[in-house]
Amino acid sequence: MIIAVDGPAAAGKGTIARALAKHYGFHFLDTGALYRMVGLAAIRSGGEPITATAAIAAARTLDPSSFVDADLRTEKVGAAASIVAVIPEVRAALLDFQRSFARKAPGAVLDGRDIGTVVCPDAHAKLFITASAEVRARRRQMELGASDYEAVLADIRARDARDSQRATAPLVAAQDAVTLDTSGMDIGEAVAAAVAVVEARRVP
Ligand code: CDP
């Protein structure tokens, strides 16, 4: 069984996807981390601004199992991820790894931007997790321990625009996805709502 969890930055999809994986005893893949690894590796090998050549080489040589880096969750690396994520060759290089992960038994939960639309269009359950940009900026500010709310909000808006407007695999809800707006929900409520969606799709 494959569960696809997509949505914009800081909407709560990582927390929800992890909780779903724990609930069902499934494997979990944070696909955003793959793009973050490529963004960071491209900066380290080719400098800034990131070049397509450096990004494509980083994606083709990426070993996700060995990549651990304290800088991965920073907003700078999030922005770098969304820059390399625009490049079709980068997306293509990461596709096989994501698809084989999705086939792991007894099931897998993948979170990202294009899981329900491109990576696993046949996923059994698809969730599109969203929240207002202001709520997402507050959450990300707390997560990062950042002092400047307006700067975090501007980063989130810039990333939303880049992710939604790109030509290849843009951020969009799959036609058969259920949208959950978590703006007014706490984590427990959001996870319960997500489990209810998956239960409704499960083959008895
Ligand atoms: O955690 P957050 O939602 O801030 O970001 P992330 O999931 O770590 O993803 C970082 C960036 O990678 C996104 O802004 C996208 O540009 C890109 N990404 C993508 O294009 N496709 C995916 N399946 C996952 C992430």
Side-chain angles (χ1 to χ4, degrees), residues 37-48:
M37 290 174 207
V38 172
L40 187 55
I43 289 174
R44 288 190 177 152
S45 64
E48 290 179 274

Side-chain angles (χ1 to χ4, degrees), residues 80-143:
S82 83
I83 290 169
V84 301
V86 169
I87 305 167
E89 290 90 339
V90 167
R91 306 199 69 85
L94 300 179
L95 206 50
D96 281 353
F97 176 81
Q98 296 175 83
R99 286 193 174 146
S100 22
F101 190 98
R103 283 194 294 269
K104 283 185 178 215
V109 184
L110 285 79
D111 91 57
R113 301 290 186 289
D114 62 339
I115 308 304
T117 51
V118 174
V119 179
C120 304
D122 298 331
H124 304 88
K126 299 182 185 178
L127 285 150
F128 192 80
I129 312 294
T130 189
S132 72
E134 291 77 12
V135 167
R136 292 186 286 123
R138 285 272 174 239
R139 290 177 184 163
R140 189 46 51 93
Q141 185 188 17
M142 275 175 61
E143 185 190 330

Side-chain angles (χ1 to χ4, degrees), residues 5-14 30-36 72-73 75 77-86 91 98 111-115 119 136 140 143 156 159-160 162-163 166 168-171:
V5 183
D6 289 304
K13 62 190 184 313
D30 169 7
T31 67
L34 303 175
Y35 289 91
R36 285 172 182 265
L72 224 48
R73 292 302 311 166
E75 199 45 43
V77 174
S82 83
I83 290 169
V84 301
V86 169
R91 306 199 69 85
Q98 296 175 83
D111 91 57
R113 301 290 186 289
D114 62 339
I115 308 304
V119 179
R136 292 186 286 123
R140 189 46 51 93
E143 185 190 330
I156 292 243
R159 205 128 69 80
D160 283 355
R162 199 154 44 221
D163 289 350
R166 68 184 176 219
T168 309
L171 169 66

